[in-house]
Amino acid sequence: MELPRQRAGSRELPVRDAAEGETGTPEGGSALVTSTLTPPIDEFRLIPRPQLVTRALPGWVKRFRANPRAKNITSDVVAVVLAVLDVWLVIPEDAPGYSLPLSGAAVAAMVMRRHWPFLAVLVTVPGFLTGWSQLAAMVALGTLAKRRGWNWQLVVGSILVFLCYVIIWPLSDFVTMTWREHALDVIWGVIVAGMPVAIGLLITARKELSARITELANSREREKALYAETVRAAERTKLAREMHDVVSHQVTLIAMQAGALQVAANDERSKETATTIRRLSTRTLEELRSLVGVLRSGVGGEGQQPGLERLPDLVSNFRSDAVPVALDMKAEPSRLPRSVSHAVYRTVQEALTNVRKHAGGARASVKVTAQKDILVVEVRNERAGGRSPVLPSGGHGLIGLRERAGLLGGTFQAGPTSEGGFRVSATYPLAG
């Protein structure tokens, strides 16, 4: 009994049908394969439609895309199902007995294509040559191109798939074919072997391009961060230089003049005042040098900044007959975060400075209370008892305290009281 021509004969009719306008073929064959190789343009799109790009994906789709194991299993299942359908829908009833096991082996190779793509191509070759596992061979070849790229294995696999399409089994049918049929098989063989290779290489190139774009974006972000840090470092250096050249110089002169006054003063009150001025000037110089060092190095120096443990000394420096100050501190400095301790010190310092400048002769009170998870600091002063001397003021002290509290996650309030005084209150979180 004469065997049917398994690929060349079945492929010839669909091609003639397309040219002559005929419909269908009683041969079976690979009409399904031919329609698969020439899909409509709208169905074969490598770039998603614009409306699909902007549309929000469902949650289960996002979880599926983020799970590589689920994607691999689904890919294997789809490949096996398509390969089975490709064989089952075109195999004739009088097929030779050896073609079905070889085609089944080619279908089974879909499971190993992700781990051993070249071996999967080799397994599909016999089934493609003597059977009907064309789609399985194309899928395996595309996976090889995607996984390994352009190398000798891809060249060998492409040649084998091309030859499997061009050579007709049995060879007696191949010998009897006309030159037109051979030429047509060569053209379709190039398409069958070249299309999966092109798609696989295109997917690989797309992934590499996406990775390069991501790396370029990250490098640009790093460059922006480095540039911003360079600008900040230059500004810090400039600020540190100005502070050292101007502020430190002036404070040093104040300390020297206070020292000279301390030696030359005849009465005890003048000596005591000069001693206080010299002590405050010296302490200010130490803090300025520490701050200049922090600005030049760019490293936070919270450990060198004054904190809650120096609050009694700060209050005693402000306390005098003109400005009596009462301190009520219910907090353990060693148990507080260093940033909070320093913020409390600066808050009290600024508030008492404002009392000295704007409410001379008024009584003031400082209250620091550590509660469960916050630290509350409050500075109050009564109505001014007399006219205060006019001192320069930049108007940024309270703004800076508000910003400091906001950076630490706290709150800040300042305003006049009903008795005619002024109240400054701030809260700082203790957690972290």
Side-chain angles (χ1 to χ4, degrees):
M1 182 178 63
E2 183 180 357
L3 293 176
R5 297 175 65 181
Q6 298 167 0
R7 286 183 308 284
S10 59
R11 286 197 300 266
E12 179 182 0
L13 289 177
V15 175
R16 275 206 310 268
D17 291 345
E20 301 174 5
E22 299 178 8
T23 58
T25 171
E27 302 285 344
S30 58
L32 177 63
V33 175
T34 305
S35 62
T36 306
L37 295 176
T38 57
I41 297 178
D42 289 340
E43 297 178 1
F44 186 73
R45 296 177 62 92
L46 296 179
I47 302 177
R49 299 179 186 273
Q51 61 267 26
L52 296 180
V53 176
T54 58
R55 187 179 302 171
L57 295 176
W60 67 270
V61 175
K62 295 180 180 179
R63 291 190 295 270
F64 174 77
R65 296 179 63 181
N67 189 345
R69 181 178 178 84
K71 291 172 60 177
N72 293 335
I73 294 176
T74 304
S75 174
D76 291 340
V77 172
V78 172
V80 171
V81 171
L82 292 179
V84 169
L85 291 177
D86 181 51
V87 174
W88 178 61
L89 293 177
V90 300
I91 188 171
E93 295 181 357
D94 54 349
Y98 57 82
S99 62
L100 187 59
L102 293 178
S103 299
V107 172
M110 296 295 93
V111 180
M112 70 171 69
R113 63 188 175 84
R114 289 187 296 103
H115 304 285
W116 304 284
F118 184 62
L119 179 60
V121 173
L122 296 181
V123 173
T124 59
V125 166
F128 187 16
L129 179 63
T130 63
W132 292 268
S133 58
Q134 174 178 332
L135 186 58
M138 294 176 65
V139 172
L141 184 61
T143 305
L144 177 62
K146 176 184 175 182
R147 295 277 177 172
R148 302 293 172 80
W150 190 260
N151 58 6
W152 69 270
Q153 294 181 351
L154 183 60
V155 174
V156 173
S158 302
I159 294 175
L160 291 177
V161 173
F162 170 78
L163 293 177
C164 286
Y165 193 93
V166 173
I167 299 175
I168 302 301
W169 190 269
L171 296 179
S172 57
D173 294 339
F174 176 72
V175 174
T176 59
M177 292 174 58
T178 64
W179 70 269
R180 293 178 179 272
E181 293 174 334
H182 285 301
L184 186 61
D185 283 345
V186 169
I187 294 175
W188 279 102
V190 172
I191 296 176
V192 169
M195 185 177 67
V197 171
I199 294 176
L201 294 178
L202 180 60
I203 294 175
T204 302
R206 182 178 180 274
K207 289 183 177 180
E208 293 179 354
L209 180 60
S210 178
R212 294 288 180 86
I213 292 175
T214 303
E215 182 180 357
L216 180 60
N218 294 335
S219 64
R220 286 182 177 178
E221 292 297 329
R222 289 193 295 268
E223 289 178 1
K224 290 181 180 178
L226 290 175
Y227 177 75
E229 181 61 29
T230 302
V231 173
R232 287 195 296 267
E235 293 295 331
R236 287 196 301 265
T237 303
K238 180 180 179 181
L239 180 60
R241 183 170 59 250
E242 294 297 328
M243 290 181 63
H244 180 271
D245 294 342
V246 179
V247 183
S248 297
H249 176 68
Q250 300 294 337
V251 175
T252 301
L253 292 179
I254 293 174
M256 293 176 60
Q257 293 293 333
L261 179 61
Q262 181 182 1
V263 175
N266 296 324
D267 57 301
E268 293 296 328
R269 186 175 183 82
S270 298
K271 289 185 178 182
E272 183 179 353
T273 302
T275 303
T276 302
I277 295 174
R278 182 178 177 83
R279 183 175 67 251
L280 293 177
S281 302
T282 304
R283 185 172 299 172
T284 302
L285 272 176
E286 294 175 356
E287 293 187 11
L288 281 175
R289 287 168 182 157
S290 176
L291 182 58
V292 168
V294 171
L295 289 174
R296 287 189 176 277
S297 63
V299 181
E302 292 183 354
Q304 302 176 0
Q305 299 297 324
L308 201 61
E309 69 281 351
R310 295 177 58 177
L311 194 59
D313 296 337
L314 176 66
V315 172
S316 64
N317 291 333
F318 278 95
R319 184 183 290 124
S320 66
D321 296 337
V323 182
V325 182
L327 174 62
D328 182 14
M329 187 170 64
K330 299 178 181 178
E332 183 64 34
S334 60
R335 297 182 180 180
L336 301 179
R338 192 62 192 176
S339 57
V340 173
S341 180
H342 176 60
V344 172
Y345 182 90
R346 292 305 185 193
T347 302
V348 175
Q349 184 184 47
E350 178 65 25
L352 293 181
T353 301
N354 290 337
V355 172
R356 270 291 186 96
K357 291 165 62 176
H358 307 295
R363 291 182 176 273
S365 63
V366 178
K367 185 176 182 180
V368 181
T369 305
Q371 299 180 2
K372 183 178 180 180
D373 53 354
I374 61 173
L375 183 70
V376 180
V377 54
E378 183 182 73
V379 180
R380 284 176 174 267
N381 64 272
E382 300 176 353
R383 185 189 300 270
R387 185 175 181 180
S388 302
V390 179
L391 297 176
S393 176
H396 302 293
L398 297 181
I399 296 177
L401 294 181
R402 189 183 305 277
E403 294 174 351
R404 187 189 298 272
L407 291 175
L408 295 177
T411 61
F412 179 82
Q413 294 179 351
T417 62
S418 57
E419 294 84 7
F422 201 83
R423 172 179 174 269
V424 174
S425 176
T427 62
Y428 301 97
L430 298 180

